[in-house]
């Protein structure tokens, strides 16, 4: 359930803690929707992680994760002690859904691997091996 | 002459803090319970309604009793011409203020308890927040923050000036500066908590919350300014041997605090401007 309301002059968002969609995902969705609907504009400041977490009764880490992913997707910009702001290209970047892109690419790769005769089990084992080796390299 | 002025001001303190403001608060509480009854606004009453009636009655009675005690104290002071033989007048004023402040403290604590019960009773899984950041300067003009800082600095410098800028642990300047800085640090913590702390009332709208924050911050800043000025007055009284003015200064200061806190709160937050619709059973988001 995505709810977005403008009540008086305050741009409010709503999080449903019973929703199966993770809370950070709901936050990301709603901020992106607010940008797409021009409820908030490029350059507008966002509340601090602490303020938003306390207002919603969420853990700081949940809000921090949402902000991190929004920054990765160039929907928001973090400017250090000055806080976070809506990215100048946020409107364009809101339509890019990284999860959809990951799914699309994986579908192509898995389809290709199946065509070579690899079994699903072999694909899963190889996938896990690659993910783990990438993680070790990264650390 | 000074004694007469003191008695008039002490009477004013009794009436302001134990009659006028409590009456206003009591009227507000009764207005809410009458115009927003339990059967239509159940989310506003997490406790049985009888508890609220009893609390209101006890609150009014307590203030009447304190006012009566104040009048008796004042009468005895006049009759026995108390000049400090029994108790220093400014100490008497301060102690009485502590007693007068108790019902206010109880109201504040009961509010915390009320909000906690509302949060527990709140079955809704939906939580709301604004995407607008809250900043101190959104709620009070920068000039008042500057005035608070400047009066604080002047008060500290003045206290050291009276001791020829000798910094000594045994001197009263260090003590006075320490008290003033501690009080302001405490106020700063309260301001931060008001701005960024957890939302206590789960049903409060952002607009109402901003009004409450504005009142709280303005009260704290003006009380800080008053405290700095009061310190300078107190030190001057001591320095220039004007002890007869001490009780006057004390009662004036306490009444100023009352005006900035309770008076500001009652005057700025009108009950009929608060959004009570969210306390209805089927309130729509």
């Amino acid at each position: 359930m995505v709810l977005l309301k403008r009540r008086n002059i305050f741009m409010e968002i709503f999080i449903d803690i019973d929703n199966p969609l993770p809370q950070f995902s709901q936050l990301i969705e709603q901020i992106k929707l607010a940008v797409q609907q021009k409820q908030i504009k490029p350059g507008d400041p966002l509340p601090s992680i602490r303020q938003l977490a306390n207002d919603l009764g969420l853990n700081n880490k949940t809000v921090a994760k949402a902000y991190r992913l929004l920054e990765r997707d160039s929907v928001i910009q973090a400017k250090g002690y000055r806080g976070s702001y809506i990215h100048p290209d946020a409107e364009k970047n809101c339509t890019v859904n990284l999860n959809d892109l990951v799914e699309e690419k994986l579908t192509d790769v898995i389809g290709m691997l199946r065509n070579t005769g690899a079994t699903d089990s072999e694909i899963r084992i190889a996938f896990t091996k690659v993910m783990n080796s990438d993680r070790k390299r990264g650390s | 002459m000074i004694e007469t002025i003191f008695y008039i001001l002490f009477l004013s303190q009794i009436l302001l803090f134990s009659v006028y403001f409590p009456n206003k608060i009591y009227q507000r509480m009764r207005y809410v319970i009458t115009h927003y009854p339990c059967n239509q606004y159940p989310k506003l009453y997490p406790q049985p309604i009888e508890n609220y009636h009893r609390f209101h009655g006890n609150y009014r009675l307590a203030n009447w009793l304190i006012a009566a005690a104040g009048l008796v104290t004042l009468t005895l002071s006049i009759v026995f011409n108390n000049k400090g033989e029994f108790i220093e007048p400014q100490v008497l004023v301060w102690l009485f203020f502590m007693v007068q402040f108790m019902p206010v403290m109880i109201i504040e604590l009961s509010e915390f308890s009320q909000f906690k019960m509302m949060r527990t009773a709140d079955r809704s899984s939906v939580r709301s927040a604004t995407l607008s950041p809250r900043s101190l300067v959104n709620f009070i003009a920068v000039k008042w923050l500057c005035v608070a800082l400047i009066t604080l600095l002047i008060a500290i410098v003045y206290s050291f000036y009276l001791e020829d800028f000798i910094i000594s642990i045994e001197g009263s300047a260090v003590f006075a500066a320490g008290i003033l800085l501690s009080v302001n640090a405490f106020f700063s913590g309260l301001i931060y908590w008001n701005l960024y702390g957890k939302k206590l009332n789960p049903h409060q709208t952002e607009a109402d919350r901003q009004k409450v924050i504005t009142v709280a911050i303005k009260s704290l800043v003006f009380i800080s300014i008053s405290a700095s000025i009061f310190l300078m007055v107190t030190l001057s009284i001591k320095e220039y041997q004007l002890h007869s003015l001490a009780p006057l200064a004390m009662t004036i200061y306490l009444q100023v605090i009352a005006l900035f806190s309770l008076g500001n709160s009652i005057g700025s937050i009108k009950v009929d401007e608060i959004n009570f619709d969210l306390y209805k059973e089927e309130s729509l988001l």
Side-chain angles (χ1 to χ4, degrees):
Chain A
M1 175 174 66
V2 174
L3 290 168
L4 208 61
K5 293 268 181 195
R6 179 171 282 277
R7 192 178 292 154
N8 297 329
I9 58 168
F10 303 110
M11 182 65 250
E12 280 193 301
I13 57 170
F14 298 85
I15 299 291
D16 185 353
I17 55 173
D18 286 346
N19 193 323
L21 190 65
Q23 290 159 6
F24 75 88
S25 296
Q26 292 182 55
L27 257 179
I28 290 170
E29 252 183 46
Q30 293 203 30
I31 291 174
K32 283 184 176 178
L33 193 61
V35 171
Q36 285 170 324
Q37 292 182 346
K38 298 188 188 343
Q39 307 274 18
I40 43 177
K41 295 180 286 298
D44 280 353
L46 284 173
S48 66
I49 290 171
R50 184 186 299 274
Q51 178 189 321
L52 196 54
N54 277 337
D55 286 356
L56 290 169
L58 301 178
N59 194 300
N60 281 354
K61 289 181 183 172
T62 303
V63 178
K65 185 172 180 178
Y67 274 28
R68 204 166 52 245
L69 292 174
L70 284 166
E71 198 184 350
R72 180 201 66 185
D73 295 347
S74 298
V75 176
I76 69 172
Q77 273 179 320
K79 293 186 180 178
Y81 70 89
R82 281 180 292 165
S84 300
Y85 294 77
I86 299 297
H87 195 280
D89 298 321
E91 234 175 297
K92 184 181 68 181
N93 297 334
C94 275
T95 54
V96 173
N97 188 332
L98 205 58
N99 289 330
D100 287 347
L101 179 69
V102 166
E103 210 175 305
E104 187 192 315
K105 294 292 179 193
L106 270 178
T107 306
D108 292 341
V109 166
I110 290 169
M112 188 259 299
L113 290 170
R114 278 177 179 158
N115 287 339
T116 63
T119 63
D120 283 0
S121 175
E122 285 169 335
I123 295 169
R124 263 190 226 105
I125 291 167
F127 182 82
T128 309
K129 196 173 162 187
V130 168
M131 288 287 288
N132 288 341
S133 67
D134 270 352
R135 196 175 293 139
K136 277 183 197 156
R137 254 209 305 273
S139 62
Chain B
M1 175 67 179
I2 290 176
E3 277 165 25
T4 308
I5 296 171
F6 165 67
Y7 292 139
I8 293 170
L9 286 171
F10 189 41
L11 177 65
S12 163
Q13 178 184 325
I14 295 166
L15 295 175
L16 192 69
F17 229 133
S18 295
V19 177
Y20 178 71
F21 282 139
N23 194 39
K24 286 280 180 196
I25 292 170
Y26 178 79
Q27 282 173 0
R28 281 163 75 97
M29 293 194 291
R30 297 313 299 173
Y31 178 89
V32 168
I33 215 164
T34 309
H35 289 77
Y36 305 99
C38 178
N39 54 345
Q40 291 170 36
Y41 299 85
K43 292 180 183 177
L44 194 52
Y45 304 96
Q47 297 183 71
I49 195 69
E50 297 76 31
N51 289 9
Y52 296 95
H53 290 306
R54 194 178 323 119
F55 182 84
H56 296 171
N58 289 344
Y59 173 75
R60 194 160 67 152
L61 179 64
N63 279 289
W64 281 347
L65 290 173
I66 293 170
L71 292 172
V72 166
T73 306
L74 177 62
T75 307
L76 289 174
S77 291
I78 295 170
V79 166
F80 291 103
N81 199 20
N82 175 40
K83 281 189 169 58
E85 298 90 4
F86 306 110
I87 183 169
E88 288 291 335
Q90 65 267 29
V91 173
L92 176 68
V93 165
W94 175 252
L95 284 174
F96 186 68
F97 172 76
M98 290 288 107
V99 174
Q100 288 181 298
F101 192 63
M102 273 163 37
V104 176
M105 276 306 301
I106 290 170
I107 288 237
E108 291 293 318
L109 291 172
S110 76
E111 206 175 55
F112 281 109
S113 170
Q114 164 86 350
F115 290 148
K116 188 175 176 185
M117 282 188 271
M118 284 165 96
R119 290 196 300 274
T120 307
D122 184 24
R123 297 269 180 266
S124 171
S125 62
V126 176
R127 298 173 187 178
S128 67
T130 177
L131 280 183
S132 310
R134 287 192 291 273
S135 161
L136 180 59
V137 296
N138 296 144
F139 299 95
I140 187 162
V142 174
K143 68 178 180 190
W144 289 115
L145 295 172
C146 292
V147 168
L149 187 60
I150 289 167
T151 47
L152 170 65
L153 290 171
I154 291 173
I156 292 173
V157 170
Y158 183 64
S159 64
F160 281 103
Y161 160 75
L162 291 177
E163 293 194 351
D164 298 321
F165 294 104
I166 297 169
I167 300 174
S168 160
I169 289 290
E170 286 149 6
S172 58
V174 169
F175 180 71
I179 293 281
L180 212 49
L181 287 170
S182 301
V183 165
N184 279 277
F186 176 64
F187 284 175
S188 301
L190 280 178
I191 287 173
Y192 185 86
W193 177 73
N194 267 283
L195 281 171
Y196 305 117
K198 286 195 192 313
K199 193 169 157 181
L200 295 179
N201 181 347
H203 309 295
Q204 190 181 42
T205 63
E206 183 63 24
D208 286 341
R209 188 176 181 188
Q210 297 232 348
K211 277 185 208 165
V212 169
I213 292 174
T214 302
V215 166
I217 289 177
K218 282 184 175 169
S219 297
L220 288 167
V221 170
F222 293 144
I223 290 172
S224 167
I225 295 170
S226 308
S228 300
I229 294 171
F230 178 65
L231 176 71
M232 288 190 275
V233 166
T234 306
L235 290 173
S236 301
I237 284 171
K238 191 178 158 192
E239 175 72 14
Y240 301 111
Q241 311 281 329
L242 300 168
H243 301 292
S244 58
L245 294 179
L248 261 86
M250 178 64 81
T251 185
I252 290 172
Y253 170 61
L254 295 173
Q255 290 181 66
V256 163
I257 287 179
L259 284 167
F260 280 146
S261 54
L262 290 177
N264 190 24
S265 175
I266 292 168
S268 303
I269 303 175
K270 304 267 187 284
V271 177
D272 48 8
E273 288 173 4
I274 297 172
N275 184 357
F276 284 97
D277 287 342
L278 294 171
Y279 298 106
K280 289 181 178 172
E281 184 58 50
E282 294 297 330
S283 64
L284 300 170
L285 290 170

